[in-house]
């Protein structure tokens, strides 16, 4: 695996930052066997808007325009001020790609999802853990949504990405997770994994996580990795440090230099199976057999060519 940092010093440039993952709440409403959530006591705390503001202020300094993930180690829909948080990021970092991953349980009223897109959300990945029936009901409700800001695009096995720029997307990924039998990672040894039984730890593999991402917990602290559910290796704190200092904190540089030579004999990495070969993964079935055709029509309607043709037609009609 290629690294994006200087192997000798562990130094990375500000331009190398691809993604900022943020734990906007400290807990999840589910306790799944393949996830560390619920395996140890966790206080139920929501990230404050002051901490959100501090993170955005630092990202503004470098003109950050890549990915913001508001789902680190949590169920983000449990934050009672999620629409406001999304609007804060959208208004102050307008070209960022804002996404969520969720179990979908808090979406009792599916119209809430449309509102989040209207606030500036670009993508949500919803895992359907319970049954095919749950997946079908959710897909029907989402397909029926008509939010004020425009149509919602379904990403699945029949269609992929819209043609518009990512900061303009309004994408739903509905993942079929209910069949079971998936081989998932062990979260740095916090949960058992079938694939881990045949592996010899620590693995001799590199890892790009400490180089291209920042992981921020609900307290505003930067973690070395998104596998660190217990906050065992903290690199710094947004309340006391600037973005440049955080991105090249000493502990992060140490992890990068050792990972560059495939040395995982460190806390977290020592028991982690991330990067190893995995088995079957959850799928993205189509909503229905016509979804691909409808999606391509929606994409056409939003394309520059369609807008140009419509403009010409309106001009012709106006001259009659």
């Amino acid at each position: 695996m290629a690294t994006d940092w200087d192997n000798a010093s562990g130094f990375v440039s500000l331009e190398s930052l691809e993604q900022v993952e943020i734990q906007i709440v400290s807990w999840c409403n589910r306790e799944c066997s393949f996830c560390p959530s619920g395996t140890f006591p966790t206080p139920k705390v929501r990230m404050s808007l002051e901490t959100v503001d501090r993170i955005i202020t630092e990202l503004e300094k470098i003109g950050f325009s890549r990915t913001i993930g508001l789902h680190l180690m949590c169920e983000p829909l449990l934050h009672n001020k999620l629409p406001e948080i999304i609007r804060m990021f959208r208004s102050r970092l307008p070209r960022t790609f804002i996404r969520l991953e969720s179990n979908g349980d808090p979406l009792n009223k599916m119209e809430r999802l449309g509102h989040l897109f209207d606030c500036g959300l670009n993508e949500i990945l919803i895992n359907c853990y319970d049954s095919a029936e749950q997946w079908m009901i959710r897909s029907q409700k989402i397909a029926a949504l008509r939010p004020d800001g425009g149509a919602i695009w379904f990403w699945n096995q029949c269609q992929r990405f819209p043609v518009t720029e990512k900061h303009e997307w309004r994408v739903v990924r509905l993942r079929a997770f209910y069949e079971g039998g998936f081989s998932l990672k062990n979260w740095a040894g916090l949960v058992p994994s079938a694939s881990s039984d045949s592996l010899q730890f620590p693995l001799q593999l590199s890892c790009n996580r400490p180089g291209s991402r920042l992981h921020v917990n609900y307290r505003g602290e930067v973690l070395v990795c998104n596998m660190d559910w217990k906050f065992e290796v903290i690199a710094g704190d947004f309340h006391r440090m600037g973005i440049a200092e955080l991105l090249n904190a000493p502990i992060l540089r140490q992890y990068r230099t050792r990972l560059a030579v495939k040395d995982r004999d460190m806390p977290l990495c020592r028991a982690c199976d991330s990067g190893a070969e995995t088995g079957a993964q959850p799928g993205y079935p189509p909503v229905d057999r016509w979804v691909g055709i409808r999606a391509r029509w929606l994409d056409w309607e939003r394309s520059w060519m369609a807008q140009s043709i419509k403009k010409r037609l309106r001009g012709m009609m106006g001259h009659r």
Side-chain angles (χ1 to χ4, degrees), residues 264-293:
R264 288 198 178 192
D265 194 12
M266 299 176 286
L268 300 178
C269 303
R270 188 176 294 120
C272 184
D273 66 358
S274 180
E277 185 176 347
T278 57
Q281 296 297 304
Y284 299 88
V287 179
D288 58 54
R289 62 178 179 170
W290 300 110
V291 68
I293 296 174

PDB file of all heavy atoms in Angstrom, residues 264-293:
ATOM      1  N   ARG A 264       3.521  -2.911  12.555  1.00  0.00           N
ATOM      2  CA  ARG A 264       2.274  -2.669  13.284  1.00  0.00           C
ATOM      3  C   ARG A 264       2.390  -3.010  14.770  1.00  0.00           C
ATOM      4  O   ARG A 264       1.374  -3.107  15.474  1.00  0.00           O
ATOM      5  CB  ARG A 264       1.139  -3.496  12.679  1.00  0.00           C
ATOM      6  CG  ARG A 264       0.659  -3.000  11.329  1.00  0.00           C
ATOM      7  CD  ARG A 264      -0.703  -3.574  11.005  1.00  0.00           C
ATOM      8  NE  ARG A 264      -1.215  -3.088   9.745  1.00  0.00           N
ATOM      9  CZ  ARG A 264      -2.485  -3.264   9.338  1.00  0.00           C
ATOM     10  NH1 ARG A 264      -3.347  -3.924  10.099  1.00  0.00           N
ATOM     11  NH2 ARG A 264      -2.869  -2.792   8.177  1.00  0.00           N
ATOM     12  N   ASP A 265       3.577  -3.170  15.256  1.00  0.00           N
ATOM     13  CA  ASP A 265       3.744  -3.546  16.658  1.00  0.00           C
ATOM     14  C   ASP A 265       3.597  -2.312  17.549  1.00  0.00           C
ATOM     15  O   ASP A 265       4.538  -1.888  18.226  1.00  0.00           O
ATOM     16  CB  ASP A 265       5.103  -4.217  16.866  1.00  0.00           C
ATOM     17  CG  ASP A 265       5.179  -4.919  18.218  1.00  0.00           C
ATOM     18  OD1 ASP A 265       4.128  -5.063  18.866  1.00  0.00           O
ATOM     19  OD2 ASP A 265       6.285  -5.306  18.615  1.00  0.00           O
ATOM     20  N   MET A 266       2.394  -1.745  17.535  1.00  0.00           N
ATOM     21  CA  MET A 266       2.060  -0.547  18.311  1.00  0.00           C
ATOM     22  C   MET A 266       0.654  -0.700  18.860  1.00  0.00           C
ATOM     23  O   MET A 266      -0.125  -1.524  18.359  1.00  0.00           O
ATOM     24  CB  MET A 266       2.119   0.698  17.409  1.00  0.00           C
ATOM     25  CG  MET A 266       3.467   0.986  16.781  1.00  0.00           C
ATOM     26  SD  MET A 266       3.376   2.408  15.648  1.00  0.00           S
ATOM     27  CE  MET A 266       2.505   1.676  14.248  1.00  0.00           C
ATOM     28  N   PRO A 267       0.294   0.060  19.905  1.00  0.00           N
ATOM     29  CA  PRO A 267      -1.092   0.030  20.389  1.00  0.00           C
ATOM     30  C   PRO A 267      -2.080   0.264  19.245  1.00  0.00           C
ATOM     31  O   PRO A 267      -1.811   1.054  18.339  1.00  0.00           O
ATOM     32  CB  PRO A 267      -1.123   1.180  21.400  1.00  0.00           C
ATOM     33  CG  PRO A 267       0.282   1.281  21.900  1.00  0.00           C
ATOM     34  CD  PRO A 267       1.155   0.959  20.717  1.00  0.00           C
ATOM     35  N   LEU A 268      -3.194  -0.446  19.278  1.00  0.00           N
ATOM     36  CA  LEU A 268      -4.230  -0.474  18.249  1.00  0.00           C
ATOM     37  C   LEU A 268      -3.801  -1.330  17.062  1.00  0.00           C
ATOM     38  O   LEU A 268      -4.429  -2.335  16.760  1.00  0.00           O
ATOM     39  CB  LEU A 268      -4.604   0.927  17.755  1.00  0.00           C
ATOM     40  CG  LEU A 268      -5.152   1.908  18.786  1.00  0.00           C
ATOM     41  CD1 LEU A 268      -5.420   3.251  18.123  1.00  0.00           C
ATOM     42  CD2 LEU A 268      -6.422   1.379  19.419  1.00  0.00           C
ATOM     43  N   CYS A 269      -2.724  -0.937  16.385  1.00  0.00           N
ATOM     44  CA  CYS A 269      -2.270  -1.639  15.179  1.00  0.00           C
ATOM     45  C   CYS A 269      -1.879  -3.085  15.473  1.00  0.00           C
ATOM     46  O   CYS A 269      -2.014  -3.964  14.615  1.00  0.00           O
ATOM     47  CB  CYS A 269      -1.090  -0.916  14.550  1.00  0.00           C
ATOM     48  SG  CYS A 269      -1.398   0.805  14.131  1.00  0.00           S
ATOM     49  N   ARG A 270      -1.380  -3.331  16.675  1.00  0.00           N
ATOM     50  CA  ARG A 270      -0.831  -4.651  17.027  1.00  0.00           C
ATOM     51  C   ARG A 270      -1.865  -5.763  16.853  1.00  0.00           C
ATOM     52  O   ARG A 270      -1.521  -6.885  16.461  1.00  0.00           O
ATOM     53  CB  ARG A 270      -0.331  -4.618  18.469  1.00  0.00           C
ATOM     54  CG  ARG A 270       0.422  -5.850  18.916  1.00  0.00           C
ATOM     55  CD  ARG A 270       0.953  -5.664  20.327  1.00  0.00           C
ATOM     56  NE  ARG A 270       1.977  -4.621  20.383  1.00  0.00           N
ATOM     57  CZ  ARG A 270       1.874  -3.513  21.115  1.00  0.00           C
ATOM     58  NH1 ARG A 270       0.785  -3.304  21.850  1.00  0.00           N
ATOM     59  NH2 ARG A 270       2.849  -2.622  21.107  1.00  0.00           N
ATOM     60  N   ALA A 271      -3.125  -5.475  17.147  1.00  0.00           N
ATOM     61  CA  ALA A 271      -4.168  -6.506  17.086  1.00  0.00           C
ATOM     62  C   ALA A 271      -5.154  -6.279  15.943  1.00  0.00           C
ATOM     63  O   ALA A 271      -6.188  -6.933  15.868  1.00  0.00           O
ATOM     64  CB  ALA A 271      -4.930  -6.550  18.409  1.00  0.00           C
ATOM     65  N   CYS A 272      -4.830  -5.358  15.036  1.00  0.00           N
ATOM     66  CA  CYS A 272      -5.776  -4.945  13.995  1.00  0.00           C
ATOM     67  C   CYS A 272      -5.642  -5.788  12.737  1.00  0.00           C
ATOM     68  O   CYS A 272      -4.531  -6.050  12.275  1.00  0.00           O
ATOM     69  CB  CYS A 272      -5.551  -3.472  13.661  1.00  0.00           C
ATOM     70  SG  CYS A 272      -6.739  -2.821  12.461  1.00  0.00           S
ATOM     71  N   ASP A 273      -6.792  -6.177  12.144  1.00  0.00           N
ATOM     72  CA  ASP A 273      -6.762  -6.960  10.908  1.00  0.00           C
ATOM     73  C   ASP A 273      -7.167  -6.128   9.691  1.00  0.00           C
ATOM     74  O   ASP A 273      -7.404  -6.671   8.610  1.00  0.00           O
ATOM     75  CB  ASP A 273      -7.649  -8.201  11.018  1.00  0.00           C
ATOM     76  CG  ASP A 273      -9.133  -7.864  11.150  1.00  0.00           C
ATOM     77  OD1 ASP A 273      -9.474  -6.660  11.189  1.00  0.00           O
ATOM     78  OD2 ASP A 273      -9.948  -8.800  11.202  1.00  0.00           O
ATOM     79  N   SER A 274      -7.260  -4.822   9.844  1.00  0.00           N
ATOM     80  CA  SER A 274      -7.610  -3.962   8.716  1.00  0.00           C
ATOM     81  C   SER A 274      -6.558  -4.085   7.612  1.00  0.00           C
ATOM     82  O   SER A 274      -5.365  -4.046   7.876  1.00  0.00           O
ATOM     83  CB  SER A 274      -7.703  -2.503   9.167  1.00  0.00           C
ATOM     84  OG  SER A 274      -8.037  -1.660   8.090  1.00  0.00           O
ATOM     85  N   GLY A 275      -7.029  -4.255   6.397  1.00  0.00           N
ATOM     86  CA  GLY A 275      -6.115  -4.426   5.267  1.00  0.00           C
ATOM     87  C   GLY A 275      -5.947  -5.866   4.861  1.00  0.00           C
ATOM     88  O   GLY A 275      -5.473  -6.148   3.748  1.00  0.00           O
ATOM     89  N   ALA A 276      -6.312  -6.783   5.759  1.00  0.00           N
ATOM     90  CA  ALA A 276      -6.248  -8.200   5.410  1.00  0.00           C
ATOM     91  C   ALA A 276      -7.406  -8.553   4.484  1.00  0.00           C
ATOM     92  O   ALA A 276      -8.403  -7.847   4.412  1.00  0.00           O
ATOM     93  CB  ALA A 276      -6.285  -9.060   6.674  1.00  0.00           C
ATOM     94  N   GLU A 277      -7.279  -9.655   3.789  1.00  0.00           N
ATOM     95  CA  GLU A 277      -8.317 -10.074   2.850  1.00  0.00           C
ATOM     96  C   GLU A 277      -9.606 -10.398   3.600  1.00  0.00           C
ATOM     97  O   GLU A 277      -9.589 -11.080   4.630  1.00  0.00           O
ATOM     98  CB  GLU A 277      -7.845 -11.288   2.059  1.00  0.00           C
ATOM     99  CG  GLU A 277      -8.811 -11.722   0.979  1.00  0.00           C
ATOM    100  CD  GLU A 277      -8.267 -12.864   0.142  1.00  0.00           C
ATOM    101  OE1 GLU A 277      -7.049 -13.139   0.240  1.00  0.00           O
ATOM    102  OE2 GLU A 277      -9.049 -13.483  -0.607  1.00  0.00           O
ATOM    103  N   THR A 278     -10.716  -9.891   3.110  1.00  0.00           N
ATOM    104  CA  THR A 278     -12.020 -10.133   3.739  1.00  0.00           C
ATOM    105  C   THR A 278     -12.892 -10.979   2.828  1.00  0.00           C
ATOM    106  O   THR A 278     -12.622 -11.124   1.639  1.00  0.00           O
ATOM    107  CB  THR A 278     -12.734  -8.812   4.045  1.00  0.00           C
ATOM    108  OG1 THR A 278     -12.868  -8.062   2.817  1.00  0.00           O
ATOM    109  CG2 THR A 278     -11.944  -7.982   5.039  1.00  0.00           C
ATOM    110  N   GLY A 279     -13.953 -11.509   3.401  1.00  0.00           N
ATOM    111  CA  GLY A 279     -14.885 -12.348   2.649  1.00  0.00           C
ATOM    112  C   GLY A 279     -16.030 -11.545   2.063  1.00  0.00           C
ATOM    113  O   GLY A 279     -15.846 -10.416   1.599  1.00  0.00           O
ATOM    114  N   ALA A 280     -17.215 -12.132   2.103  1.00  0.00           N
ATOM    115  CA  ALA A 280     -18.399 -11.499   1.512  1.00  0.00           C
ATOM    116  C   ALA A 280     -18.714 -10.181   2.189  1.00  0.00           C
ATOM    117  O   ALA A 280     -18.531 -10.011   3.395  1.00  0.00           O
ATOM    118  CB  ALA A 280     -19.588 -12.447   1.623  1.00  0.00           C
ATOM    119  N   GLN A 281     -19.196  -9.217   1.400  1.00  0.00           N
ATOM    120  CA  GLN A 281     -19.558  -7.908   1.908  1.00  0.00           C
ATOM    121  C   GLN A 281     -21.029  -7.612   1.610  1.00  0.00           C
ATOM    122  O   GLN A 281     -21.612  -8.169   0.669  1.00  0.00           O
ATOM    123  CB  GLN A 281     -18.676  -6.839   1.265  1.00  0.00           C
ATOM    124  CG  GLN A 281     -17.199  -6.962   1.621  1.00  0.00           C
ATOM    125  CD  GLN A 281     -16.942  -6.778   3.102  1.00  0.00           C
ATOM    126  OE1 GLN A 281     -17.306  -5.758   3.673  1.00  0.00           O
ATOM    127  NE2 GLN A 281     -16.322  -7.759   3.727  1.00  0.00           N
ATOM    128  N   PRO A 282     -21.658  -6.743   2.406  1.00  0.00           N
ATOM    129  CA  PRO A 282     -23.054  -6.389   2.151  1.00  0.00           C
ATOM    130  C   PRO A 282     -23.236  -5.799   0.757  1.00  0.00           C
ATOM    131  O   PRO A 282     -22.310  -5.210   0.193  1.00  0.00           O
ATOM    132  CB  PRO A 282     -23.361  -5.350   3.236  1.00  0.00           C
ATOM    133  CG  PRO A 282     -22.332  -5.581   4.284  1.00  0.00           C
ATOM    134  CD  PRO A 282     -21.106  -6.059   3.581  1.00  0.00           C
ATOM    135  N   GLY A 283     -24.451  -5.962   0.205  1.00  0.00           N
ATOM    136  CA  GLY A 283     -24.708  -5.509  -1.153  1.00  0.00           C
ATOM    137  C   GLY A 283     -25.626  -4.302  -1.220  1.00  0.00           C
ATOM    138  O   GLY A 283     -26.174  -3.842  -0.209  1.00  0.00           O
ATOM    139  N   TYR A 284     -25.801  -3.787  -2.444  1.00  0.00           N
ATOM    140  CA  TYR A 284     -26.657  -2.629  -2.703  1.00  0.00           C
ATOM    141  C   TYR A 284     -27.656  -2.988  -3.798  1.00  0.00           C
ATOM    142  O   TYR A 284     -27.460  -2.647  -4.969  1.00  0.00           O
ATOM    143  CB  TYR A 284     -25.820  -1.424  -3.145  1.00  0.00           C
ATOM    144  CG  TYR A 284     -24.809  -0.959  -2.130  1.00  0.00           C
ATOM    145  CD1 TYR A 284     -23.530  -1.515  -2.094  1.00  0.00           C
ATOM    146  CD2 TYR A 284     -25.121   0.040  -1.217  1.00  0.00           C
ATOM    147  CE1 TYR A 284     -22.592  -1.084  -1.161  1.00  0.00           C
ATOM    148  CE2 TYR A 284     -24.186   0.471  -0.292  1.00  0.00           C
ATOM    149  CZ  TYR A 284     -22.931  -0.095  -0.280  1.00  0.00           C
ATOM    150  OH  TYR A 284     -21.996   0.332   0.636  1.00  0.00           O
ATOM    151  N   PRO A 285     -28.723  -3.690  -3.467  1.00  0.00           N
ATOM    152  CA  PRO A 285     -29.708  -4.066  -4.495  1.00  0.00           C
ATOM    153  C   PRO A 285     -30.384  -2.826  -5.085  1.00  0.00           C
ATOM    154  O   PRO A 285     -30.469  -1.783  -4.438  1.00  0.00           O
ATOM    155  CB  PRO A 285     -30.723  -4.917  -3.714  1.00  0.00           C
ATOM    156  CG  PRO A 285     -30.040  -5.285  -2.443  1.00  0.00           C
ATOM    157  CD  PRO A 285     -29.099  -4.166  -2.143  1.00  0.00           C
ATOM    158  N   PRO A 286     -30.897  -2.941  -6.326  1.00  0.00           N
ATOM    159  CA  PRO A 286     -31.649  -1.825  -6.905  1.00  0.00           C
ATOM    160  C   PRO A 286     -32.996  -1.667  -6.216  1.00  0.00           C
ATOM    161  O   PRO A 286     -33.556  -2.631  -5.688  1.00  0.00           O
ATOM    162  CB  PRO A 286     -31.819  -2.238  -8.365  1.00  0.00           C
ATOM    163  CG  PRO A 286     -31.760  -3.728  -8.339  1.00  0.00           C
ATOM    164  CD  PRO A 286     -30.785  -4.075  -7.250  1.00  0.00           C
ATOM    165  N   VAL A 287     -33.521  -0.460  -6.219  1.00  0.00           N
ATOM    166  CA  VAL A 287     -34.829  -0.216  -5.606  1.00  0.00           C
ATOM    167  C   VAL A 287     -35.904  -0.971  -6.373  1.00  0.00           C
ATOM    168  O   VAL A 287     -36.788  -1.602  -5.801  1.00  0.00           O
ATOM    169  CB  VAL A 287     -35.127   1.298  -5.597  1.00  0.00           C
ATOM    170  CG1 VAL A 287     -36.481   1.569  -4.982  1.00  0.00           C
ATOM    171  CG2 VAL A 287     -34.040   2.030  -4.844  1.00  0.00           C
ATOM    172  N   ASP A 288     -35.883  -0.904  -7.687  1.00  0.00           N
ATOM    173  CA  ASP A 288     -36.761  -1.686  -8.555  1.00  0.00           C
ATOM    174  C   ASP A 288     -36.115  -1.747  -9.925  1.00  0.00           C
ATOM    175  O   ASP A 288     -35.074  -1.154 -10.166  1.00  0.00           O
ATOM    176  CB  ASP A 288     -38.176  -1.094  -8.620  1.00  0.00           C
ATOM    177  CG  ASP A 288     -38.171   0.337  -9.112  1.00  0.00           C
ATOM    178  OD1 ASP A 288     -37.614   0.587 -10.197  1.00  0.00           O
ATOM    179  OD2 ASP A 288     -38.723   1.207  -8.427  1.00  0.00           O
ATOM    180  N   ARG A 289     -36.703  -2.451 -10.858  1.00  0.00           N
ATOM    181  CA  ARG A 289     -36.054  -2.683 -12.150  1.00  0.00           C
ATOM    182  C   ARG A 289     -35.975  -1.426 -13.007  1.00  0.00           C
ATOM    183  O   ARG A 289     -35.213  -1.394 -13.979  1.00  0.00           O
ATOM    184  CB  ARG A 289     -36.794  -3.778 -12.918  1.00  0.00           C
ATOM    185  CG  ARG A 289     -38.239  -3.435 -13.256  1.00  0.00           C
ATOM    186  CD  ARG A 289     -38.859  -4.561 -14.052  1.00  0.00           C
ATOM    187  NE  ARG A 289     -40.255  -4.269 -14.376  1.00  0.00           N
ATOM    188  CZ  ARG A 289     -40.973  -4.992 -15.230  1.00  0.00           C
ATOM    189  NH1 ARG A 289     -40.426  -6.031 -15.838  1.00  0.00           N
ATOM    190  NH2 ARG A 289     -42.227  -4.680 -15.477  1.00  0.00           N
ATOM    191  N   TRP A 290     -36.755  -0.408 -12.673  1.00  0.00           N
ATOM    192  CA  TRP A 290     -36.742   0.815 -13.469  1.00  0.00           C
ATOM    193  C   TRP A 290     -35.855   1.900 -12.868  1.00  0.00           C
ATOM    194  O   TRP A 290     -35.732   2.980 -13.429  1.00  0.00           O
ATOM    195  CB  TRP A 290     -38.165   1.382 -13.605  1.00  0.00           C
ATOM    196  CG  TRP A 290     -39.109   0.433 -14.277  1.00  0.00           C
ATOM    197  CD1 TRP A 290     -40.140  -0.236 -13.698  1.00  0.00           C
ATOM    198  CD2 TRP A 290     -39.091   0.044 -15.652  1.00  0.00           C
ATOM    199  NE1 TRP A 290     -40.779  -1.033 -14.617  1.00  0.00           N
ATOM    200  CE2 TRP A 290     -40.146  -0.876 -15.831  1.00  0.00           C
ATOM    201  CE3 TRP A 290     -38.286   0.370 -16.737  1.00  0.00           C
ATOM    202  CZ2 TRP A 290     -40.415  -1.467 -17.054  1.00  0.00           C
ATOM    203  CZ3 TRP A 290     -38.559  -0.223 -17.968  1.00  0.00           C
ATOM    204  CH2 TRP A 290     -39.615  -1.119 -18.115  1.00  0.00           C
ATOM    205  N   VAL A 291     -35.258   1.612 -11.729  1.00  0.00           N
ATOM    206  CA  VAL A 291     -34.523   2.666 -11.026  1.00  0.00           C
ATOM    207  C   VAL A 291     -33.367   3.226 -11.849  1.00  0.00           C
ATOM    208  O   VAL A 291     -33.103   4.422 -11.837  1.00  0.00           O
ATOM    209  CB  VAL A 291     -34.021   2.166  -9.651  1.00  0.00           C
ATOM    210  CG1 VAL A 291     -32.944   1.115  -9.813  1.00  0.00           C
ATOM    211  CG2 VAL A 291     -33.492   3.319  -8.818  1.00  0.00           C
ATOM    212  N   GLY A 292     -32.695   2.365 -12.609  1.00  0.00           N
ATOM    213  CA  GLY A 292     -31.587   2.850 -13.409  1.00  0.00           C
ATOM    214  C   GLY A 292     -32.025   3.828 -14.486  1.00  0.00           C
ATOM    215  O   GLY A 292     -31.389   4.849 -14.730  1.00  0.00           O
ATOM    216  N   ILE A 293     -33.158   3.514 -15.117  1.00  0.00           N
ATOM    217  CA  ILE A 293     -33.684   4.399 -16.166  1.00  0.00           C
ATOM    218  C   ILE A 293     -34.107   5.737 -15.570  1.00  0.00           C
ATOM    219  O   ILE A 293     -33.776   6.806 -16.099  1.00  0.00           O
ATOM    220  CB  ILE A 293     -34.873   3.727 -16.877  1.00  0.00           C
ATOM    221  CG1 ILE A 293     -34.386   2.455 -17.600  1.00  0.00           C
ATOM    222  CG2 ILE A 293     -35.536   4.699 -17.850  1.00  0.00           C
ATOM    223  CD1 ILE A 293     -35.497   1.654 -18.217  1.00  0.00           C
TER     224      ILE A 293
END
